Amino acid sequence: MSFITFFSIAGILLGVASLITVVSVMNGFEGELKKKILGLVPHVVMSKQSPQGKTLSMSDWQQQRTKLLTYPGVKAVTPFIESEALIQSPSTLQGVLLQGIIPEYEIGHIINQHMVAGDLASLQDTPYSLVMGQALAHKLEVNVGDKVRLVIPNKTVFTPMGRVPVQRTFTLTGIFNVGSQIDDAVVYIHSKAGAKLLRRKGDGINQLRLYLDDAFYAGELAPRLQQDLPTYTFATWNESQGALFAAVSMEKNMMWLMLSLIVAVAAFNIVSALVMVVIDKQGEIGILQTLGLARAEIVKIFITQGMVNGLWGVILGSISGVLLTLNLNTLMSVTGINIFGPGYASQVLPIQLEAWNVAVIVFSALMMSFVATLYPAYRASKTQPAEVLRNE
């Protein structure tokens, strides 16, 4: 095996292995993003808007919830109210998004699956209680059982000292840790407590959030709901999180492109190897032609030789890539590689190895290898026996 042939095979091997590993990790990160973001963000939000754009109370939300659950693909419908608020502890003050919920409808919520202390049901059992993320609890330096103050800056009341924001002391009864930005940005209370804070009647519900079996069905369902229920407004997760997923998809495609170029460069090393063979073996090619070997047969010989090199690189690269992907976290642990930095307790990469990705990579590498053989094979077939054998 020549030096150039060896490095063309090695280049394809490294390119294919890198592409399989990186794409699998990117798939894993994308899957984690979908699970954590789309598990928290409502797939569709239903509300009723006034002509001035103000969200109105929804007195018939129970009937609307029952109706929405009849639509195919709708997994759950939960009522809630939402407002910006300030949360104050003895040590600090921070802005949060306040959500008033009804715990009995939130049994399947992802928050319930990631509770560190307490649960969402405590909002029903304990008056004026709240649940917050672990990151926010650390910032406020509070724990379960501690008192915090919620302040609604856009709602005020008259007092002997003038107009002051609406505020109320709440007891922390639950802490969750989802591992996303919601951990230090969202606080949950009971909808009735939220209605009192916001000076609304009853339970104060003014929005319904829909969770679907497939979050990407939201774009198709929302127009249908809008047509069936024209007095309501429907917003999908694409409006709030679509740009994030588009950015992740673009980054993944760019990684595909850059690593594919590595495979392409390695594959086209086959061109150099075969051209050198053609130059070195012109005499032999001329002799074979004089013995009756057709030009098409010469083309087949050089294509086969180039494809054998490419095939070896693809096979070894695929095996290496799959093995590296499946054992990547183990290798990182053994070698002590810390990708996320010292601030993260878990250093495990999310990995999602998909057969169709491997198949596309293998097919693409083989096609590049095939294309790389065409020019040397064509050049070999154009060898003129009379010229190359004149001085033999």
Side-chain angles (χ1 to χ4, degrees):
M1 182 185 295
S2 70
F3 179 82
I4 295 179
T5 300
F6 171 77
F7 272 91
S8 64
I9 294 175
I12 295 172
L13 185 156
L14 292 174
V16 170
S18 301
L19 196 50
I20 290 174
T21 304
V22 171
V23 168
S24 297
V25 173
M26 291 292 292
N27 286 340
F29 275 115
E30 189 176 21
E32 285 293 305
L33 191 66
K34 288 178 181 177
K35 183 173 70 175
K36 289 186 176 180
I37 299 297
L38 297 183
L40 290 167
V41 177
H43 302 158
V44 180
V45 174
M46 173 183 174
S47 60
K48 196 170 188 177
Q49 304 288 330
S50 68
Q52 292 77 29
K54 183 180 178 182
T55 303
L56 303 175
S57 294
M58 196 180 295
S59 57
D60 62 340
W61 66 264
Q62 292 96 337
Q63 293 87 347
Q64 297 300 334
R65 177 178 178 273
T66 303
K67 183 185 295 184
L68 290 171
L69 285 170
T70 62
Y71 282 82
V74 177
K75 181 171 61 176
V77 179
T78 62
F80 76 110
I81 57 176
E82 190 174 70
S83 175
E84 295 177 346
L86 296 173
I87 187 166
Q88 183 181 19
S89 70
S91 60
T92 188
L93 177 74
Q94 181 170 326
V96 293
L97 182 65
L98 178 66
Q99 289 196 359
I101 61 173
I102 301 178
E104 62 185 274
Y105 295 110
E106 304 289 345
I107 296 174
H109 198 284
I110 192 172
I111 295 297
N112 262 330
Q113 303 165 18
H114 292 82
M115 295 298 297
V116 177
D119 54 36
L120 287 178
S122 62
L123 299 179
Q124 183 78 40
D125 304 330
T126 307
Y128 293 105
S129 56
L130 60 80
V131 172
M132 68 173 65
Q134 192 171 43
L136 180 59
H138 286 163
K139 286 183 180 179
L140 298 176
E141 299 179 4
V142 294
N143 211 330
V144 172
D146 292 341
K147 302 285 186 180
V148 294
R149 182 175 296 275
L150 280 178
V151 181
I152 310 297
N154 57 359
K155 290 288 181 181
T156 57
V157 292
F158 286 104
T159 69
M161 299 182 64
R163 186 183 289 271
V164 296
V166 174
Q167 51 188 291
R168 177 82 193 199
T169 300
F170 282 74
T171 304
L172 178 59
T173 58
I175 296 175
F176 60 86
N177 183 21
V178 178
S180 70
Q181 72 271 25
I182 196 175
D183 290 348
D184 65 351
V186 179
V187 169
Y188 295 96
I189 63 174
H190 198 285
S191 64
K192 289 184 179 179
K196 290 179 181 179
L197 273 178
L198 297 172
R199 298 297 188 263
R200 295 176 184 170
K201 296 179 180 179
D203 53 23
I205 298 300
N206 62 357
Q207 297 182 81
L208 292 175
R209 49 188 170 192
L210 286 71
Y211 294 95
L212 312 180
D213 294 324
D214 179 10
F216 294 91
Y217 177 59
E220 184 179 338
L221 178 64
R224 181 182 170 190
L225 292 173
Q226 189 68 70
Q227 184 177 1
D228 295 345
L229 302 167
T231 58
Y232 292 91
T233 301
F234 296 88
T236 68
W237 65 268
N238 281 302
E239 297 175 22
S240 60
Q241 304 294 330
L244 174 62
F245 282 91
V248 171
S249 178
M250 183 181 69
E251 184 178 354
K252 184 178 175 182
N253 291 335
M254 289 303 297
M255 292 299 295
W256 264 94
L257 177 60
M258 287 187 290
L259 292 173
S260 295
L261 290 175
I262 295 176
V263 179
V265 170
F268 276 87
N269 281 337
I270 296 172
V271 176
S272 303
L274 291 180
V275 167
M276 291 182 68
V277 171
V278 170
I279 295 172
D280 186 50
K281 302 295 183 181
Q282 278 192 330
E284 287 82 350
I285 295 171
I287 292 170
L288 289 173
Q289 285 181 315
T290 59
L291 294 175
L293 187 66
R295 294 183 185 275
E297 298 300 322
I298 296 174
V299 169
K300 290 179 183 178
I301 290 172
F302 280 89
I303 288 178
T304 301
Q305 183 178 355
M307 286 300 295
V308 167
N309 295 340
L311 189 61
W312 272 112
V314 170
I315 291 173
L316 295 176
S318 300
I319 295 172
S320 302
V322 170
L323 291 176
L324 178 61
T325 300
L326 295 177
N327 297 282
L328 186 59
N329 285 315
T330 303
L331 289 173
M332 287 173 53
S333 177
V334 170
T335 56
I337 297 175
N338 189 336
I339 290 181
F340 299 107
Y344 290 82
S346 174
Q347 294 293 328
V348 177
L349 283 171
I351 293 173
Q352 186 177 335
L353 181 64
E354 296 184 357
W356 76 270
N357 276 338
V358 176
V360 169
I361 293 167
V362 168
F363 178 77
S364 301
L366 288 174
M367 285 303 298
M368 290 178 189
S369 299
F370 173 74
V371 171
T373 65
L374 295 179
Y375 171 71
Y378 170 78
R379 181 167 174 175
S381 69
K382 291 299 182 180
T383 300
Q384 300 296 326
E387 292 183 9
V388 299
L389 297 176
R390 181 179 301 165
N391 299 319
E392 292 292 332

